[in-house]
Amino acid sequence: MIELSAVEQQLVAQVQEAHQGGQRLTVGGGGTRAFLGAAPQATRMDTRANSGIIALRESERTLTVRAATSLIEIESVLEQAGLQIACGLPALQPESTVGGAVSAGMAGPGRVSGGDIKDQLLGAVLVNGRGEPLRFGGDVMKNVAGYDLARLPVGAFGDLGLLLQLTLKLQPRTRAETSLHTGMGWEQGQELIRSLQLENYPLLASAYEDGNWILRLGCERAQLPQPLQGAGEQPAQYWRDLRDQRTAFHNGPGNLWRIVLPQGAPLLAHGEEPLVAEWHGALQWLRSDRPASEIFAAAAAAGGHARLFRSELAGLCSRPDAGTQTLHRKIKTALDPHGVFVAGPGNLFAEGGEA
Amino acid sequence: MIEQTAPIAESTYRELLSGLQAILADEELVIEPERLRVFECDALTAYRRMPKVAALPRTEGQVQRILKLCDRLQVPVVTRGAGTGLSGGALPHSAGLLLVMSRFDRILEIDPVRMLARVQPGVRNAAVSEAAASHRLFYAPDPSSQIACSIGGNIAENAGGIHCLKYGLTHNNVASIRALTVEGEVLTLGTEALENAGPEYRSMLIGSEGMLAAVTEITLRLLPLPVETRTLLAGFDSVADASAAVKGIIAAGMVPAALEMLDATTVAAVSEYCNCGYPPTAAAVLLADVDGAPAVATADAEQLTGIFRDCGATSVSVATDASERARLWLGRKSAFPALGRITPDYYCIDGSIPRGEIGAVLADIEKLSKDAGILVANVFHAGDGNLHPIILFDAGKAGEIDRVEALAGRILERCIAAGGSITGEHGVGVEKIDQMATQFTDAEIAQFLAVKAALDPNGILNPGKGVPSLRRCQEYRALKKHSEGAA
Ligand SMILES: Cc1cc2nc3c(=O)[nH]c(=O)nc-3n(C[C@H](O)[C@H](O)[C@H](O)COP(=O)(O)OP(=O)(O)OC[C@H]3O[C@@H](n4cnc5c(N)ncnc54)[C@H](O)[C@@H]3O)c2cc1C
Ligand SMILES: Cc1cc2nc3c(=O)[nH]c(=O)nc-3n(C[C@H](O)[C@H](O)[C@H](O)COP(=O)(O)OP(=O)(O)OC[C@H]3O[C@@H](n4cnc5c(N)ncnc54)[C@H](O)[C@@H]3O)c2cc1C
């Protein structure tokens, strides 16, 4: 049986009431997106009290937390234990929560070495639209009993249920670390990255800005190949600022797009449009005032998808195909037959998604 | 336990056949019992059942029409890959159609820049890495059955392998999946891009044991081949010491590429069977790979050797060159045939537990084995906490199979009690369907059933597998309570 705290029991009761009374709820995490508003006719469900670490099992390298635990708190606890969440979870605001980060499904710079958000997730307690708390997955590395409904809510923006608890896989911090700005442009840097990959250098993250590739490696500089010996040092703090978007670029004027692509994708900036890339070029942050339809088309042509991240229109995103939309309707009904949960803004299936 | 099913009505069967004849060429349709016989079981051979018909289509269009036809006629469909499954997932339905995907055997594209392989579901697991090797890339999940098992079957079972500790399971290495619902709808789940948008429907399909959709194409993520690998073998005087070493390795923040354990019974059997250089009387051995850039592999091998010694290893050897490494792995890879020589029959279980619990759970398994008077050997993915207790028995002895099933059930329940799962990589299939009632509550089971019904309203795909009905759960729990009360 699942042990629920008093706060969790209240949240469950709130969902049950909504199920019976025909109300609709939009789950709020840290509420950092609150200004985007709740969906029409939905009440914002305040989950902030459902916070705290349930178990940090250092010797198992797993962490079980309540969903509204702040990312900052998690990070500082893990830091003390010499552990981390491999992909990095962007803490865009001090209030950002782990439940919000998992529901948004957007990984930090560590994606290229540590996997995406679903790769960090081992288990979840999810409250479905009937107000039933359900445990899927677990605290173990491998578990294939039943359908994988633990990872299903990743990227669902709260549309498929309320997450109460999450179990995440942890990774040891590397023994040594070196961050360098290579002085190399787009193509030359990508070639270098490719050869570092093939030579198995521990490449933790990469970023491209101002026409220059910056690399983060999990080893001493002395262990790096010749072309990198003379490269300039980059402060390690850079990666956290990048992850949490505390940069002049991310906070500049105009529409900010987040474009996710396959490895090896071309640069999507036109002319002088400001762009910062991560993930060896597979994540491109683009400041552009081109029409949304043009950005969506460019992302799709390169095998990826785009989301308008910062603008009055934030939330616009590439539309899933018809098959996925039908699938989503069916699975949504299976989990939430009365449609209690209304996804937060930015979800893929929102009306008027793609322009 | 196989659920009884009603035979197919004669008129339905005739309609099915004429429908199939319109979709398939003669040689793609099998109805003769002697030709159906090869499909009667997967690698869990204790369960056998003849399908009514088998279809061996070559195109997605054919699969789509077959599924629609069967859905309309309410004829059960069991999809089959290579039939190496260990939980009866591909066990045919006696009143149904077996959808054999073996002819979807083409690697469609290896893309070295995007590091992707686009393949059909019938492609053998090992063939992907073979095709990618010239680009210095490989497909990481490597089940021990990799020369035979299919990628479609790997997707359906979320297969694991020796090197999943570092490189992840199937679900960590799949970019996108193309699949057909029983209503013939095409699903494209996941993306070639490095992050999915929207709910993880890709993950929901992975490990769904052929119960939600038929997979017709998969795009896999490839990884750079390890430049250098060191293989370490450590012998221990006790299982407890070896288990403590596993715990120590994880706690030290190491990520070996592989970390496997073999117990005394298995070590003795493989030492007889092949020349693998294991200390033949060790109570347990650990076999590990560390890999990466040369400096990393060297440093990791040193650190690992230190942990082994600190935990009381009586011998540690490190192999660098390929032939020495292959010799050490030969022992592990020969475990099943080697055990097969010392027992008429064996039965492999697949419990998953926290890594720190290995010592305690193995001690309890030994106790359960003694109580039952049935020998259990252990050879398993220790670094992932994925146990494979292997029950050695003689099916010829009266009542033995029932005792083996009972022992297996107790071992799985012990895994659940340790905070684990009844299956780490082999799936539930027909085999572990009863224990689902212990691992999950009725509400959780009901949620699984609702998801299934959403995609397969007539319950055509692989019925009677994976997720038990609520009634069956209640009956099983009542039975268990009763027998526990009696004991
Ligand atoms: C289009 C878009 C634009 C963004 N722009 C910005 C920005 O300009 N500045 C910024 O700081 N951040 C931005 N973000 C990031 C967003 O705020 C992150 O998701 C944040 O890190 C999570 O913080 P939170 O806890 O406040 O979640 P919230 O913002 O409260 O929630 C994020 C989503 O997750 C769901 N959710 C939260 N908790 C749960 C739960 N327990 N169970 C189920 N669902 C849950 C919510 O319903 C919502 O859909 C943006 C995200 C998107 C999608
Ligand atoms: C000696 C041996 C060693 C093994 N070692 C491992 C190991 O290390 N790790 C591990 O994980 N497993 C292992 N296995 C188990 C087995 O090989 C895996 O489960 C494998 O993934 C099954 O693949 P298959 O193609 O043989 O599938 P099958 O046995 O044919 O089918 C398995 C399941 O997949 C479904 N299925 C197959 N193809 C499709 C498709 N195209 N669409 C939808 N559903 C489909 C079937 O319906 C069935 O439910 C081992 C088996 C043996 C015999």
Side-chain angles (χ1 to χ4, degrees):
Chain A
M1 285 304 122
I2 309 169
E3 273 177 42
L4 296 182
S5 67
V7 169
E8 288 172 326
Q9 287 171 20
Q10 275 166 22
L11 292 172
V12 167
Q14 202 180 335
V15 178
Q16 283 165 354
E17 274 162 36
H19 177 69
Q20 280 144 20
Q23 289 119 358
R24 313 181 97 206
L25 300 170
T26 293
V27 181
T32 57
R33 300 290 73 221
F35 69 86
L36 288 175
Q41 289 116 37
T43 312
R44 215 182 144 79
M45 186 179 193
D46 187 347
T47 68
R48 281 175 295 182
N50 183 34
S51 145
I53 287 172
I54 298 171
L56 168 62
R57 299 174 206 83
E58 291 181 41
S59 64
E60 292 293 327
R61 299 207 302 241
T62 63
L63 172 75
T64 302
V65 285
R66 301 196 198 282
T69 311
S70 88
L71 292 169
I72 305 278
E73 178 186 346
I74 291 175
E75 187 161 40
S76 81
V77 168
L78 293 183
E79 214 159 62
Q80 279 170 26
L83 294 165
Q84 60 184 338
I85 292 165
C87 67
L89 300 180
L92 303 191
Q93 307 287 339
E95 303 83 20
S96 296
T97 65
V98 64
V102 166
S103 302
M106 294 184 275
R111 161 69 185 96
V112 279
S113 51
D116 59 18
I117 303 263
K118 72 148 167 34
D119 293 328
Q120 321 304 318
L121 206 60
L122 295 174
V125 175
L126 178 77
V127 182
N128 66 12
R130 291 195 175 82
E132 296 165 327
L134 310 169
R135 183 190 296 283
F136 300 116
D139 304 339
V140 288
M141 293 300 121
K142 294 167 78 170
N143 184 355
V144 295
Y147 305 122
D148 187 349
L149 303 186
R151 295 183 183 90
L152 179 63
V154 173
F157 285 88
D159 206 25
L160 297 177
L162 164 69
L163 290 164
L164 286 184
Q165 302 176 7
L166 297 162
T167 298
L168 301 160
K169 194 170 159 174
L170 303 174
Q171 214 191 34
R173 290 176 171 271
T174 49
R175 282 168 278 202
E177 202 181 299
T178 307
S179 293
L180 304 166
H181 46 96
T182 62
M184 291 182 194
W186 182 259
E187 261 153 44
Q188 196 192 358
Q190 287 213 323
E191 267 165 44
L192 173 70
I193 286 169
R194 178 140 202 102
S195 74
L196 291 172
Q197 284 179 321
L198 290 177
E199 296 299 326
N200 291 186
Y201 283 97
L203 196 50
L204 301 176
S206 66
Y208 174 82
E209 64 174 56
D210 300 330
N212 173 31
W213 278 102
I214 302 164
L215 305 182
R216 182 182 208 183
L217 290 128
C219 61
E220 313 276 0
R221 178 191 282 255
Q223 293 169 310
L224 293 173
Q226 244 323 301
L228 285 175
Q229 288 304 335
E233 197 89 23
Q234 182 80 10
Q237 178 63 30
Y238 171 79
W239 301 105
R240 189 167 295 184
D241 290 344
L242 179 69
R243 184 194 70 187
D244 299 345
Q245 301 185 5
R246 285 193 293 267
T247 72
F249 165 82
H250 286 102
N251 295 293
N255 290 339
L256 177 66
W257 289 91
R258 185 179 189 271
I259 310 175
V260 182
L261 302 160
Q263 185 162 349
L267 259 177
L268 294 189
H270 274 186
E272 296 296 295
E273 284 175 347
L275 178 142
V276 167
E278 301 177 38
W279 305 356
H280 310 336
L283 175 61
Q284 298 185 14
W285 296 95
L286 176 67
R287 290 228 316 267
S288 168
D289 293 319
R290 274 184 276 160
S293 56
E294 214 176 285
I295 306 284
F296 290 131
H305 48 89
R307 180 188 284 291
L308 188 49
F309 206 78
R310 270 184 199 174
S311 106
E312 311 76 86
L313 297 172
L316 276 193
C317 56
S318 299
R319 269 282 181 173
D321 64 21
T324 306
Q325 293 190 35
T326 310
L327 173 67
H328 181 70
R329 269 197 300 278
K330 289 179 179 173
I331 299 299
K332 164 84 177 161
T333 306
L335 279 149
D336 180 16
H338 292 185
V340 167
F341 294 108
V342 181
N347 91 85
L348 231 55
F349 303 96
E351 287 309 311
E354 188 170 330
Chain B
M1 280 300 136
I2 295 180
E3 276 171 20
Q4 292 300 314
T5 46
I8 187 168
E10 196 46 43
S11 60
T12 310
Y13 180 59
R14 276 198 306 273
E15 206 179 336
L16 175 70
L17 269 193
S18 70
L20 290 171
Q21 278 156 352
I23 301 169
L24 297 160
D26 284 352
E27 55 88 31
E28 293 168 341
L29 181 61
V30 182
I31 48 171
E32 306 81 357
E34 59 277 18
R35 286 177 62 211
L36 288 171
R37 183 70 63 189
V38 294
F39 300 125
E40 71 174 346
C41 64
D42 61 9
L44 182 67
T45 53
Y47 296 87
R48 291 167 194 268
R49 207 154 51 183
M50 294 282 278
K52 198 74 193 164
V53 296
L56 288 79
R58 292 170 195 278
T59 68
E60 189 185 79
Q62 286 176 311
V63 175
Q64 191 174 38
R65 291 171 68 196
I66 293 168
L67 290 173
K68 280 181 166 170
L69 175 70
C70 291
D71 194 37
R72 181 168 61 79
L73 299 176
Q74 309 222 355
V75 169
V77 175
V78 176
T79 311
R80 181 184 168 102
T84 70
L86 286 171
S87 57
L91 179 75
H93 195 286
S94 54
L97 174 136
L98 190 72
L99 181 62
V100 183
M101 297 301 282
S102 56
R103 291 182 174 172
F104 284 76
D105 61 353
R106 280 186 306 135
I107 294 179
L108 301 168
E109 189 185 1
I110 301 281
D111 183 336
V113 175
R114 296 175 170 211
M115 300 209 215
L116 297 170
R118 198 158 57 81
V119 305
Q120 293 189 318
V123 166
R124 289 177 308 113
N125 172 294
V128 182
S129 288
E130 284 158 20
S134 63
H135 303 288
R136 296 164 71 189
L137 300 172
F138 77 121
Y139 175 60
D142 54 349
S144 306
S145 51
Q146 71 177 151
I147 53 166
C149 66
S150 75
I151 295 295
N154 292 172
I155 297 285
E157 301 289 10
N158 190 11
I162 303 270
H163 293 95
C164 287
L165 178 54
K166 177 169 178 181
Y167 296 109
L169 310 168
T170 299
H171 84 84
N172 302 111
N173 289 280
V174 173
S176 67
I177 305 170
R178 199 176 150 91
L180 292 170
T181 67
V182 78
E183 289 162 330
E185 263 176 277
V186 179
L187 302 176
T188 308
L189 308 177
T191 169
E192 296 179 0
L194 284 198
E195 190 175 80
N196 193 35
E200 259 300 325
Y201 287 118
R202 165 180 58 185
S203 295
M204 187 184 80
L205 198 64
I206 296 174
S208 65
E209 303 192 22
M211 298 187 293
L212 298 182
V215 174
T216 55
E217 193 179 301
I218 309 102
T219 304
L220 302 168
R221 295 203 189 279
L222 302 174
L223 295 173
L225 273 170
V227 172
E228 190 144 320
T229 306
R230 302 280 159 88
T231 299
L232 288 88
L233 177 79
F236 293 87
D237 275 345
S238 75
V239 170
D241 285 351
S243 304
V246 173
K247 194 173 172 178
I249 290 163
I250 304 304
M254 292 199 72
V255 187
L259 183 58
E260 301 280 306
M261 193 192 292
L262 291 77
D263 71 357
T265 307
T266 314
V267 170
V270 297
S271 299
E272 275 287 306
Y273 183 83
C274 62
N275 176 19
C276 55
Y278 292 7
T281 57
V285 304
L286 290 177
L287 187 64
D289 271 352
V290 288
D291 67 15
V296 173
T298 307
D300 282 356
E302 273 169 27
Q303 192 185 357
L304 205 53
T305 304
I307 297 175
F308 285 151
R309 296 229 182 268
D310 289 348
C311 293
T314 49
S315 65
V316 181
S317 49
V318 184
T320 308
D321 75 88
S323 68
E324 252 310 284
R325 296 204 317 100
R327 180 166 171 241
L328 292 182
W329 276 106
L330 180 66
R332 167 66 179 91
K333 291 184 174 160
S334 308
F336 283 81
L339 288 168
R341 282 219 312 205
I342 64 166
T343 176
D345 299 283
Y346 62 79
Y347 176 42
C348 175
I349 317 176
D350 176 40
S352 176
I353 57 170
R355 297 171 277 202
E357 297 288 325
I358 292 174
V361 173
L362 287 183
D364 284 354
I365 291 177
E366 196 181 341
K367 219 176 140 284
L368 290 171
S369 149
K370 285 218 171 92
D371 291 349
I374 302 174
L375 197 59
V376 177
N378 286 285
V379 42
F380 63 99
H381 312 305
D384 289 319
N386 189 181
L387 302 181
H388 285 328
I390 300 165
I391 304 182
L392 310 179
F393 69 104
D394 180 355
K397 275 197 215 159
E400 184 92 332
I401 294 207
D402 293 338
R403 283 200 298 277
V404 167
E405 273 195 4
L407 174 59
R410 281 195 289 275
I411 292 175
L412 291 179
E413 309 259 334
R414 179 67 184 84
C415 292
I416 300 173
S421 169
I422 56 173
T423 172
E425 60 180 19
H426 294 166
V428 173
V430 284
E431 184 203 15
K432 294 176 277 272
I433 194 156
D434 283 334
Q435 280 80 23
M436 286 289 283
T438 309
Q439 186 166 333
F440 294 101
T441 64
D442 275 358
E444 288 154 358
I445 297 278
Q447 189 62 75
F448 289 143
L449 293 170
V451 163
K452 161 79 171 167
L455 283 185
D456 177 16
N458 294 320
I460 297 303
L461 282 179
N462 225 353
K465 313 264 182 80
V467 181
S469 67
L470 286 175
R471 200 173 124 203
R472 186 165 177 171
C473 289
Q474 281 142 14
E475 282 169 5
Y476 176 74
R477 288 197 204 103
L479 199 71
K480 216 178 80 179
K481 216 175 198 163
H482 180 77
S483 69
E484 274 163 9

